[in-house]
Amino acid sequence: SGGRLELGVGVGWLEEEFDALGVSFADRGARTDDMIEILRKAWTADEITHSSEFSEFTGVSVNPKPVAGMVPIHVGGHSRPAARRAGRLGDGFFPGRGDDLAELIDIARQTAADAGRDPAALEITAPASPLLGSDPAGAVAEAAALGVDRLIVPAYLFRKDPTNALAEFGRTIIG
C-alpha cells in the first residue's frame, strides 16, 4: 500500500498440503506465530538466536534489513483465531469475506488491546464485494464505519474490457 512492502500471513487451510510436506496441520497456528517472531528478530538484529518447539538456531543474520526497520505483517483469514493472531502479532488484518466482518474486527482490536497494543494501529483490509452492489458509496461509508482502512478490488472484474470497465468503476465507485 502506498508503495511500501507488506507481508501477508495466513496459516493455511488445506490439510493435504501439509501432509504432502510432512508438516503437522494441527500446530500450523503456533508454527506461524513462531515464524512471525523469527522474522521480526531477523529484521532488527544480526546474529540472532532462537529456540522454540519448531525452530532452533544461533548466529543467523538476514541482510539487507528492511529500510523502515520492519515489514508490516498483515494476517489474513476469516476466522476468530486469525482475528486474534492479527490483534496479538499483526500490523494489519484481512478477513477474506464480508460476512461477520464487524465481529472479526472487534475481536482483532480487543485482542490487540488485551496484548497492550494500540487497537487503532491495526490496519483493516476487507474485500470490495459490497462496492459491486446498488449503493457503492454507502458500502464505502459502511466499511469505514466498521474501521476498514482499505478495500481490495479484484482485478478479474476488469479483464474483459479493461478500458471501459475501469472508466465505469472510476465514475461509479471512485467518484
Side-chain angles (χ1 to χ4, degrees):
S1 89
R4 48 177 203 170
L5 177 65
E6 296 176 355
L7 176 65
V9 174
V11 299
W13 58 271
L14 188 60
E15 189 167 358
E16 291 82 0
E17 292 176 337
F18 288 79
D19 292 344
L21 296 171
V23 176
S24 169
F25 182 76
D27 61 17
R28 68 195 189 282
R31 185 181 304 277
T32 299
D33 293 354
D34 190 52
M35 291 297 127
I36 291 171
E37 181 181 341
I38 291 168
L39 287 170
R40 289 208 166 123
K41 284 181 181 179
W43 290 333
T44 59
D46 286 320
E47 303 294 319
I48 65 170
T49 297
H50 184 81
S51 181
S52 71
E53 175 184 353
F54 307 107
S55 307
E56 187 166 334
F57 54 82
T58 60
V60 171
S61 295
V62 173
N63 290 294
K65 304 275 187 250
V67 173
M70 64 168 249
V71 175
I73 295 175
H74 292 251
V75 176
H78 197 82
S79 67
R80 286 168 185 81
R84 289 190 295 270
R85 178 169 290 104
R88 263 190 347 272
L89 301 172
D91 300 299
F93 179 43
F94 179 25
R97 301 186 310 264
D99 56 324
D100 300 333
L101 190 59
E103 178 187 3
L104 292 174
I105 291 170
D106 286 345
I107 290 169
R109 293 207 191 278
Q110 184 59 55
T111 304
D114 293 347
R117 302 177 73 214
D118 178 4
L122 191 64
E123 185 178 26
I124 306 296
T125 303
S129 50
L131 296 178
L132 308 177
S134 61
D135 183 15
V140 169
E142 185 177 323
L146 290 174
V148 172
D149 298 290
R150 170 179 27 194
L151 295 168
I152 300 295
V153 179
Y156 68 80
L157 295 175
F158 311 110
R159 74 172 177 247
K160 290 188 181 184
D161 184 3
T163 302
N164 288 325
L166 285 167
E168 178 63 20
F169 185 82
R171 276 191 302 280
T172 61
I173 308 294
I174 298 172

